[in-house]
């Protein structure tokens, strides 16, 4: 199998409901047609899209999209499965089998998975690294969670590890790890100082909270260190010329505000290879035709929509960024959706060439 | 509104802040006092959309970038808002409620303990619930704050639903002491349908509807009762669609490409309408449609309030 040392990373961002998932799938399919080996990672894939692409359910490891014969490349599609991925990381860790079981059944473990399920950014960051490091893909297309803070982890990849580096955790380990009896002289002194703090915490949540937490952190340490390493790999890759950001908006004021803010967030962390994609635009000839409609109500509606579209376009261009406009996805039956997506994706590839 | 405490749940961007504000406004028109509780922590995307929303709750003076303040602020007659701050809640809880000032400054404010508290799954959420418990059961006695209704503009789905089973699952760690007590009383409040109710806001799109189904199941499993109602926001009204459908008689006037686009739009409108009506059909709960403002030539608040008026007998509004 060919190994790719320089994987292209395409990150799609934007507000909810702007069509990010569709646009990123379209882009991935268009890349696959040209013969590239693509991995598509969607945080929030619609059932409808999965059905249309002929896949029953996206698994944790991903499945290859059934593409037409004349497509030269492949597209592996996957979505976020927090629990399964973390379970797998635990199984792949260096923990002894009985320690793994203990971690998987720890009451805090489920709470931890839930926490990651609500911070998909960090989690996805670690997940993407597995693909980057595999070298199996020429292109990775990421459809991020809607909203502004999809990339917070680039700013502070260490944020996730803050508490693991903290002294408190050291203390907890010191007190509760199996080797606690064999302490050095210095450690014994530290221990007596830390004892007061731990006793204080015991007052808040009971002694069992402290020992339960300590136990948990010790078990999780190896898994977590690996995860942090992965987040850093992705975060570093974001800074290379192989990574491009596509900020998707639709013709709505709220979606536009989110897009502009996202772009500012990217610039603030010095990620400048980004471009706006204005999705579901209507062409001028359409608006001209709508002026002839008999219903005054509809004429009024489409004229407002027209000025809104112009306003949104102008505003995006004012941000000093390139902006690609995309039409509505052509209406098609499930059997032809790959082709409609390909047409949309090809338009995006062509119009963004030389821009970013 | 039916219960003193109402959680407004739903996926990000479906209109939870609009729903919260509209319910408070509805109350105010009936001469009642409401407090809207917001939480932007770890969910700043919501904070941003709120800023740009027509109701602009967050631009009020009680809001600052670091979410440090949680003073109640009167937005207008009968409508108050408060922003949740983890640090401030910790301080009030230990210093004012438990009278444990020393414990607070020596242990809770210790920077290593802070790191642990912020990183430990569920702790911030637990204190958020504790704060709400305090608002419902203790605020009148301790502070003289009295509201007819507390409306919680919940963080988006992930957090929103996990709030309901949180106290019970944290309880499994075998907590004793004040945290253990906190878990028990918070869960007691959530488990009581006389005091607590929730509404689910959704959009006529596939993903938000699917998430609403899952959310309803999950919350019902945790606390044993279903939502007071669903709000289906940005509904494409039959009136708009009927007018739009008339276009088919004028097709001769248009370019072929225009016809193609019209049929794409038609598919999108009609799928919204059928998704909405199918979802309504499968639910036993009250269903309240809020029309898409841009199609109605009304502002968003008017759309909400007039929908409330036409569903005034819905369970959520009865007392």
């Amino acid at each position: 199998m060919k190994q790719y040392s320089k994987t292209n990373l395409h990150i799609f961002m934007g507000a909810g409901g702007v069509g990010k998932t569709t646009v990123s799938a379209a882009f991935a399919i268009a890349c696959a047609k040209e013969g590239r080996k693509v991995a598509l990672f969607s945080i929030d894939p619609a059932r409808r899209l999965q059905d249309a692409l002929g896949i029953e359910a996206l698994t944790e490891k991903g499945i290859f999209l059934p593409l037409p014969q004349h497509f030269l490349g492949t597209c592996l599609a996957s979505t976020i499965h927090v629990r399964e991925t973390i379970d797998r990381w635990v199984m792949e860790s260096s923990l002894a089998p009985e320690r793994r079981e203990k971690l998987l059944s720890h009451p805090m473990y489920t709470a931890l998975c839930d926490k990651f399920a609500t911070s998909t950014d960090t989690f996805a960051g670690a997940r993407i690294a597995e693909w980057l490091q595999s070298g199996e893909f020429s292109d990775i297309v990421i459809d991020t969670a809607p909203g502004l803070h999809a990339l917070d982890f680039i700013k502070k990849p260490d944020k996730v590890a803050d508490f693991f580096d903290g002294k408190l955790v050291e203390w907890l380990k010191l007190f509760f790890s199996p080797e606690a009896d064999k302490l050095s002289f210095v450690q014994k002194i530290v221990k007596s100082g830390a004892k007061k703090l731990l006793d204080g915490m015991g007052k808040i949540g009971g002694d069992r909270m402290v020992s339960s937490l300590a136990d948990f952190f010790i078990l999780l340490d190896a898994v977590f260190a690996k995860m942090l390493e992965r987040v850093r790999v992705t975060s570093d890759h974001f800074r290379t010329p192989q990574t491009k950001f596509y900020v998707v908006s639709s013709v709505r004021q709220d979606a536009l505000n989110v897009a502009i803010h996202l772009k500012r967030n990217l610039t603030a962390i010095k990620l400048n290879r980004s471009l706006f994609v204005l999705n579901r635009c209507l062409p001028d000839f359409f608006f001209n035709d709508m002026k002839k409609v008999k219903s005054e109500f509809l004429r009024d509606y489409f004229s407002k929509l027209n000025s809104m579209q112009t306003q949104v376009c102008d505003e995006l261009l004012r941000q000093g960024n390139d902006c690609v406009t995309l039409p509505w996805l052509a209406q098609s039956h499930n059997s032809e959706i790959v082709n409609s997506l390909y047409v949309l994706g090809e338009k995006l590839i062509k119009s963004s060439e030389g821009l970013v | 509104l039916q219960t003193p405490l109402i959680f407004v749940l739903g996926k990000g961007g479906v209109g939870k802040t609009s729903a919260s504000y509209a319910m408070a406004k509805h109350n105010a028109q009936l001469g009642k006092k409401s407090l809207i509780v917001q939480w932007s922590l770890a969910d700043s995307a919501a904070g941003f959309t709120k800023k740009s929303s027509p109701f602009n709750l967050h631009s009020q003076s009680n809001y600052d970038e670091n979410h440090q303040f949680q003073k109640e602020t009167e937005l207008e007659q009968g409508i108050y808002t408060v922003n949740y701050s983890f640090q401030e809640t910790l301080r009030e809880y230990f210093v004012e409620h438990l009278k444990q000032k020393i414990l607070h400054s020596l242990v809770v404010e210790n920077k290593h303990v802070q790191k642990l508290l912020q990183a430990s799954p569920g702790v911030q959420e637990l204190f958020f619930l504790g704060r709400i418990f305090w608002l419902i059961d203790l605020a009148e006695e301790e502070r003289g704050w009295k509201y007819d209704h507390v409306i919680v503009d919940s963080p988006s789905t992930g957090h929103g639903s996990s709030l309901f089973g949180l106290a019970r699952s944290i309880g499994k760690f075998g907590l004793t002491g004040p945290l253990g007590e906190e878990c028990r009383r918070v869960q007691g409040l959530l488990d009581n349908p006389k005091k607590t109710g929730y509404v689910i806001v959704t959009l006529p799109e596939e993903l938000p509807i699917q998430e609403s189904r899952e959310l309803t199941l999950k919350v019902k499993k945790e606390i044993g009762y279903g939502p007071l109602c669903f709000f289906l926001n940005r509904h494409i009204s039959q009136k708009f669609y009927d007018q739009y459908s008339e276009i088919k008689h004028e097709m001769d006037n248009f370019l072929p490409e225009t016809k193609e686009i019209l049929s794409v739009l038609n598919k999108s409108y009609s799928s919204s309408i059928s998704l909405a009506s199918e979802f309504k059909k499968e639910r036993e709960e009250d269903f309240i449609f809020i029309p898409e403002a841009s199609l109605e030539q009304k502002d968003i608040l008017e759309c909400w309030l007039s929908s409330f008026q036409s569903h005034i007998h819905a369970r959520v509004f009865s007392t």
Side-chain angles (χ1 to χ4, degrees):
Chain A
M1 185 183 289
K2 185 178 173 189
Q3 286 280 307
Y4 296 90
S5 57
K6 284 187 173 177
T7 304
N8 297 310
L9 198 50
H10 312 270
I11 318 266
F12 287 79
M13 311 167 77
V18 297
K20 258 191 325 294
T21 307
T22 308
V23 173
S24 52
F27 186 87
I29 286 172
C31 286
K33 175 145 194 283
E34 291 175 9
R36 298 198 241 164
K37 298 264 186 291
V38 187
L40 168 66
F41 189 75
S42 300
I43 302 260
D44 218 10
R47 188 73 248 170
R48 195 178 46 219
L49 187 66
Q50 294 190 37
D51 288 346
L53 290 172
I55 39 185
E56 295 238 311
L58 294 176
T59 56
E60 195 261 326
K61 294 217 163 180
I63 51 174
F64 286 99
L65 296 184
L67 297 174
Q69 287 268 313
H70 62 283
F71 277 46
L72 301 169
T74 53
C75 182
L76 180 79
S78 173
T79 185
I80 203 154
H81 290 273
V82 175
R83 183 66 188 248
E84 283 176 48
T85 305
I86 300 185
D87 283 355
R88 181 167 58 77
W89 288 343
V90 171
M91 294 315 283
E92 289 168 4
S93 74
S94 55
L95 284 173
E98 73 277 7
R99 308 265 297 153
R100 282 185 211 151
E101 286 310 311
K102 198 174 172 197
L103 177 55
L104 292 174
S105 59
H106 194 283
M108 273 202 108
Y109 183 75
T110 302
L112 179 93
C113 291
D114 283 350
K115 192 179 172 88
F116 279 118
T118 57
S119 59
T120 45
D121 53 334
T122 310
F123 183 77
R127 184 74 185 85
I128 297 161
E130 290 189 283
W131 285 342
L132 283 172
Q133 289 174 318
S134 79
E136 288 170 30
F137 303 102
S138 64
D139 293 82
I140 300 178
V141 180
I142 312 292
D143 162 32
T144 63
L148 283 178
H149 290 251
L151 292 178
D152 264 4
F153 74 96
I154 312 173
K155 262 189 273 182
K156 313 179 226 173
D158 298 348
K159 193 176 72 177
V160 269
D162 261 3
F163 66 99
F164 277 87
D165 299 339
K167 279 213 173 53
L168 184 86
V169 175
E170 292 300 311
W171 288 340
L172 287 171
K173 281 192 201 170
L174 201 60
F175 277 84
F176 298 99
S177 72
E179 295 84 31
D181 313 336
K182 303 172 252 168
L183 296 180
S184 72
F185 177 66
V186 177
Q187 283 172 319
K188 276 182 186 148
I189 295 176
V190 171
K191 186 167 171 168
S192 68
K195 187 91 175 73
K196 285 201 183 76
L197 193 58
L198 286 175
D199 288 348
M201 288 186 63
K203 276 198 189 121
I204 303 171
D207 293 336
R208 286 181 59 189
M209 177 187 89
V210 181
S211 62
S212 185
L213 268 177
D215 202 24
F216 181 63
F217 287 139
I218 293 162
L219 284 169
L220 201 63
D221 209 17
V223 179
F224 207 84
K226 185 83 186 167
M227 180 168 166
L228 181 64
E229 185 191 308
R230 289 186 172 125
V231 173
R232 288 202 177 107
V233 165
T234 304
S235 166
D236 288 346
H237 201 93
F238 279 2
R239 303 205 168 276
T240 68
Q242 272 77 50
T243 301
K244 288 175 186 167
F245 297 89
Y246 303 79
V247 182
V248 188
S249 179
S250 61
V251 186
R252 284 186 77 96
Q253 190 60 45
D254 45 2
L256 171 73
N257 288 345
V258 170
I260 290 174
H261 213 90
L262 275 169
K263 166 68 188 153
R264 283 196 197 131
N265 280 2
L266 286 172
T267 313
I269 50 178
K270 299 196 169 59
L271 293 171
N272 297 317
R273 285 173 306 277
S274 66
L275 119 141
F276 285 120
V277 178
L278 188 56
N279 194 24
R280 296 193 201 118
C281 286
L282 292 165
D284 287 342
F285 68 77
F286 174 81
F287 286 121
N288 282 334
D289 270 355
M290 288 304 104
K291 287 177 190 158
K292 299 180 228 157
V293 170
K294 286 191 191 114
S295 153
E296 192 190 334
F297 175 79
L298 287 179
R299 277 203 309 274
D300 196 45
Y301 169 66
F302 281 110
S303 122
K304 271 195 202 152
L305 195 63
N306 191 4
S307 50
M308 177 70 134
Q309 185 173 309
T310 317
Q311 202 185 319
V312 169
C313 251
D314 289 352
E315 185 58 41
L316 288 178
L317 290 170
R318 244 201 308 280
Q319 300 299 315
N321 241 59
D322 295 313
C323 176
V324 171
T325 58
L326 290 181
W328 282 73
L329 181 70
Q331 191 181 8
S332 54
H333 298 292
N334 276 4
S335 58
E336 293 152 23
I337 189 125
V338 169
N339 200 45
S340 309
L341 285 170
Y342 162 70
V343 172
L344 192 72
E346 197 194 27
K347 184 164 167 30
L348 177 55
I349 292 178
K350 286 231 168 90
S351 353
S352 61
E353 254 167 28
L355 285 184
V356 186
Chain B
L1 299 177
Q2 206 190 37
T3 50
L5 171 61
I6 290 197
F7 285 87
V8 181
L9 306 178
K11 193 177 157 74
V14 295
K16 291 188 295 295
T17 301
S18 304
S20 307
Y21 180 77
M23 284 194 282
K25 185 80 186 174
H26 175 83
N27 269 345
Q29 289 173 347
L30 300 170
K32 288 187 179 166
K33 208 170 141 185
S34 317
L35 176 72
I36 302 172
V37 183
Q38 300 198 302
W39 182 12
S40 14
L41 190 104
D43 192 26
S44 335
F48 174 77
T49 40
K50 275 162 202 163
K51 266 189 193 171
S52 62
S53 87
F55 309 127
N56 236 346
L57 297 182
H58 274 198
S59 66
Q60 302 303 319
S61 56
N62 72 325
Y63 176 80
D64 89 344
E65 286 287 294
N66 301 311
H67 317 302
Q68 289 298 315
F69 302 113
Q70 53 175 13
K71 281 183 296 194
E72 57 158 3
T73 308
E74 185 168 11
L75 277 185
E76 53 187 87
Q77 181 72 39
I79 305 180
Y80 295 75
T81 165
V82 73
N83 198 56
Y84 170 71
S85 146
F86 180 50
Q87 292 308 328
E88 186 62 14
T89 298
L90 278 178
R91 198 194 60 77
E92 285 187 6
Y93 178 70
F94 286 102
V95 178
E96 290 174 27
H97 184 70
L98 296 179
K99 315 280 181 219
Q100 294 270 9
K101 195 168 177 185
I102 297 168
L103 184 71
H104 181 256
S105 59
L106 286 184
V107 178
V108 180
E109 287 194 316
N110 177 287
K111 76 172 192 231
H112 304 304
V113 175
Q114 279 291 324
K115 275 186 180 177
L116 187 79
L117 284 175
Q118 286 178 15
S120 294
V123 172
Q124 307 200 32
E125 289 85 349
L126 179 66
F127 276 88
F128 179 66
L129 291 171
R131 176 81 189 164
I132 290 163
F133 174 86
W134 180 85
L135 282 165
I136 294 285
D137 275 14
L138 303 168
E140 189 177 5
E141 191 186 312
E142 289 189 13
R143 284 278 174 86
W145 292 11
K146 171 68 186 160
Y147 301 100
D148 297 302
H149 296 283
V150 173
I151 299 167
V152 183
D153 182 4
S154 311
S156 302
T157 309
H159 292 289
S161 61
S162 60
L163 287 176
F164 293 90
L166 181 81
R168 202 171 279 124
S169 68
I170 289 187
K172 285 186 201 139
F173 301 155
L175 295 185
T176 54
L179 270 190
E181 175 55 27
E182 189 71 14
C183 285
R184 275 184 294 279
R185 62 185 200 177
V186 159
Q187 198 65 53
L189 173 67
L190 295 181
D191 287 347
N192 183 354
K194 288 204 170 70
K195 284 197 167 174
T196 305
Y198 62 101
V199 297
I200 293 179
V201 189
T202 191
L203 296 179
E205 290 165 28
E206 191 204 345
L207 271 180
I209 287 182
Q210 187 51 33
E211 278 203 35
S212 305
R213 285 193 185 105
E214 287 160 14
L215 180 63
T216 312
L217 273 176
K218 198 170 167 198
V219 178
K220 200 168 176 179
K221 194 174 147 217
E222 295 292 356
I223 56 178
Y225 54 91
L228 293 169
C229 73
F230 288 92
F231 290 131
L232 192 128
N233 195 11
R234 292 201 212 144
H235 179 55
I236 312 250
S237 67
Q238 199 59 46
K239 189 186 138 211
F240 173 84
Y241 189 64
D242 289 346
Q243 296 234 16
Y244 182 82
S245 306
E246 287 303 305
I247 290 187
K248 63 176 178 278
H249 302 302
E250 303 170 39
M251 285 295 185
D252 295 343
N253 303 333
F254 306 140
L255 296 169
E257 292 87 347
T258 298
K259 288 181 200 164
E260 227 169 274
I261 293 173
L262 283 169
S263 93
V264 171
L265 291 179
N266 182 50
K267 197 181 168 196
S268 153
Y269 294 143
S270 69
S271 107
S272 284
I273 293 177
S274 62
L275 274 171
S277 74
E278 275 165 33
F279 190 37
K280 181 181 168 154
K281 238 180 262 165
E282 76 183 60
R283 304 303 319 181
E284 293 166 354
E285 295 88 355
D286 288 320
F287 220 89
I288 300 175
F289 291 114
I290 294 88
E292 161 68 48
S294 70
L295 305 180
E296 303 295 320
Q297 296 163 329
K298 273 190 213 168
D299 77 19
I300 296 179
L301 181 61
E302 270 179 83
C303 286
W304 280 89
L305 291 176
S306 59
S307 301
F308 289 177
Q309 281 311 319
S310 51
H311 289 86
I312 202 69
H313 298 296
R315 193 163 78 99
V316 64
F317 298 118
S318 61
T319 43

